Amino acid sequence: YILANQETIQHETGRLQTGWAKGVFYIPQRDQDVIWLEPNLTKAYQSYGSIEAQLELIRELAKGKVFVNVLGAFASCLYGLINENSMMNFFIHNGGLTEGGKSLAVKCALSFFGKPSKMGNTWNATINGLETYWEQNYSLPTWVDETELSPNLDHIINSCYAFSDGHGKVRAMVKDGEVAQRETKTFRGICFTTGEKSFAEIQNTAHARVKPRGITRRVLDLNVTDLWNGVDQDKAKNLLDENYGILGIDYIEYLEENFQDIKEEFENQISFFKGLAEGEKRKQLAILKLALEIIYQMEFISDYAYDIQVANLKELARVEAEKVEMIKDIKSEFKER
């Protein structure tokens, strides 16, 4: 594309991916000297409305557990600051019956970075389609909606493992009469999913001879039953409709200015969850708490809201620890038999 259009593009660089490159974060609505080769990116990453309305939205959301989604969206941008190999990508799943506000929860979280109606995908997409979507939105939060639309449970499970591992399938192609390997797609960040079942239910109803228990390590499972308690859902929806893509840009610029300090702070947040969570869960909670610390330092939320969210993260740690223990019990039972 670039070679065919040198006269037009001149010295500008073509890009497919968002995300970090040499300490700079690339995203379409920033004034950067690049050409975005993927048109959907420029449709999705737009800014509209006022910063006051976005601050009002984030402060309303910070009153309840729904704010974990917001933390996930901001935490996704931290991939690329922390050690690339220090943790896996993971899903944040909002599960529950229809009308529980799960899609709205994700849209609110995504709205700080762009136009949420243009930012998601569905489980009806092929694995190759999802890999392309994740690769293009590198280090930014992504969303795969409605697990019920998936052709089968294996599709969800395989996609989950691929995303958490950070790279797609190895595929072959024929070039100049020779069989060669295509460049493998890579992706980093946090992906939201939604559906009427929890991810735990999805893995338990899989038809495989061996249940995919590893999903437990790769997903934070949120129940929408009490997700919106204390938060005005109608107010959030009204603010969301006309205001998006503003606070995320301020946040990204703050990350660039404090690159090294934030990178070092991640280890402190891992230590915070000592005794509350272990292994991969501890790192997932730590990156959410790191995002919370940054949002608080930027004065997006109040002291009171900060305390509420620390308590919510501790509660989430307890729930996730119980799931991990349940998996250990299943393994022990298998060994005994």
Side-chain angles (χ1 to χ4, degrees), residues 65-77 89-95 102-113 116 119-123 130 133-134 140-147 156 163 189-195 199 218-220 222 227 288:
K65 291 183 179 178
V66 69
F67 199 68
V68 173
N69 289 284
V70 176
L71 294 179
F74 283 97
S76 187
C77 300
N89 304 331
F90 66 96
F91 284 117
I92 294 179
H93 180 67
N94 291 264
K102 50 188 180 291
S103 293
L104 179 60
V106 178
K107 286 179 181 177
C108 285
L110 295 176
S111 73
F112 298 108
F113 293 91
M119 294 171 72
N121 212 317
T122 73
W123 282 110
L130 289 176
Y133 168 61
W134 288 327
L140 281 166
T142 50
W143 175 27
V144 189
D145 195 17
E146 295 289 357
T147 51
I156 297 175
F163 179 73
I190 295 171
C191 182
F192 296 103
T193 71
T194 50
F199 237 94
R218 293 165 165 82
V219 179
L220 291 178
L222 305 182
L227 207 60
L288 295 181

Side-chain angles (χ1 to χ4, degrees), residues 297-314:
Q297 288 166 16
M298 295 183 73
E299 300 182 350
F300 287 175
I301 61 172
S302 66
D303 294 0
Y304 180 65
Y306 171 82
D307 291 339
I308 289 174
Q309 296 312 320
V310 170
N312 283 339
L313 288 176
K314 286 182 177 179

Side-chain angles (χ1 to χ4, degrees), residues 46 56 103 179 216 239 319:
Q46 301 176 12
E56 191 177 354
S103 293
V179 177
T216 304
L239 288 167
V319 172

Side-chain angles (χ1 to χ4, degrees), residues 1-223:
Y1 177 90
I2 296 169
L3 289 173
N5 295 276
Q6 286 186 75
E7 299 295 325
T8 308
I9 296 178
Q10 297 177 346
H11 298 294
E12 291 176 311
T13 306
R15 288 182 67 87
L16 281 170
Q17 283 187 333
T18 58
W20 293 99
K22 298 179 180 178
V24 176
F25 198 102
Y26 288 89
I27 185 171
Q29 68 262 53
R30 296 184 75 190
D31 185 18
Q32 295 171 313
D33 190 25
V34 297
I35 290 290
W36 293 93
L37 305 185
E38 171 49 60
N40 289 328
L41 287 176
T42 56
K43 292 177 184 176
Y45 296 107
Q46 301 176 12
S47 299
Y48 187 81
S50 70
I51 190 169
E52 290 77 15
Q54 284 242 287
L55 285 168
E56 191 177 354
L57 175 60
I58 200 170
R59 286 164 185 165
E60 183 63 37
L61 297 170
K63 297 174 182 177
K65 291 183 179 178
V66 69
F67 199 68
V68 173
N69 289 284
V70 176
L71 294 179
F74 283 97
S76 187
C77 300
L78 297 173
Y79 281 87
L81 289 185
I82 60 176
N83 184 347
E84 286 285 326
N85 299 315
S86 67
M87 65 181 293
M88 298 187 297
N89 304 331
F90 66 96
F91 284 117
I92 294 179
H93 180 67
N94 291 264
L97 296 176
T98 305
E99 305 302 325
K102 50 188 180 291
S103 293
L104 179 60
V106 178
K107 286 179 181 177
C108 285
L110 295 176
S111 73
F112 298 108
F113 293 91
K115 192 173 185 178
S117 61
K118 301 288 186 183
M119 294 171 72
N121 212 317
T122 73
W123 282 110
N124 192 37
T126 64
I127 182 66
N128 192 35
L130 289 176
E131 287 174 7
T132 302
Y133 168 61
W134 288 327
E135 181 181 47
Q136 290 167 354
N137 296 274
Y138 204 86
S139 289
L140 281 166
T142 50
W143 175 27
V144 189
D145 195 17
E146 295 289 357
T147 51
E148 287 70 31
L149 293 178
S150 174
N152 56 65
L153 292 179
D154 287 342
H155 176 61
I156 297 175
I157 290 162
N158 293 338
S159 301
C160 177
Y161 277 93
F163 179 73
S164 65
D165 290 343
H167 57 82
K169 284 185 177 180
V170 175
R171 294 179 173 89
M173 65 176 182
V174 177
K175 184 178 181 181
D176 300 328
E178 298 287 333
V179 177
Q181 181 179 312
R182 288 184 184 175
E183 186 175 349
T184 304
K185 296 182 177 74
T186 58
F187 20 86
R188 296 292 289 173
I190 295 171
C191 182
F192 296 103
T193 71
T194 50
E196 296 190 2
K197 293 181 180 179
S198 69
F199 237 94
E201 289 178 276
I202 290 170
Q203 73 176 9
N204 285 333
T205 51
H207 297 300
R209 286 177 61 232
V210 179
K211 299 298 182 187
R213 301 296 178 189
I215 283 183
T216 304
R217 296 173 57 233
R218 293 165 165 82
V219 179
L220 291 178
D221 231 339
L222 305 182
N223 189 330

Side-chain angles (χ1 to χ4, degrees), residues 230-298:
V231 181
D232 188 334
Q233 211 172 131
D234 291 333
K235 180 180 179 181
K237 187 178 185 306
N238 290 336
L239 288 167
L240 167 75
D241 288 341
E242 297 297 328
N243 303 276
Y244 46 81
I246 301 171
L247 283 192
I249 303 303
D250 288 349
Y251 175 81
I252 285 168
E253 289 173 355
Y254 183 90
L255 297 186
E256 289 174 336
E257 291 168 6
N258 299 275
F259 196 100
Q260 194 58 42
D261 292 342
I262 292 168
K263 188 173 182 178
E264 292 169 359
E265 180 61 22
F266 181 58
E267 294 300 323
N268 294 333
Q269 299 309 324
I270 291 177
S271 299
F272 179 85
F273 289 98
K274 187 175 182 180
L276 296 172
E278 296 302 328
E280 214 54 46
K281 291 292 178 187
R282 193 170 164 189
K283 294 176 184 177
Q284 291 163 6
L285 291 160
I287 201 169
L288 295 181
K289 175 116 184 331
L290 178 55
L292 175 63
E293 295 295 331
I294 298 167
I295 290 168
Y296 176 62
Q297 288 166 16
M298 295 183 73

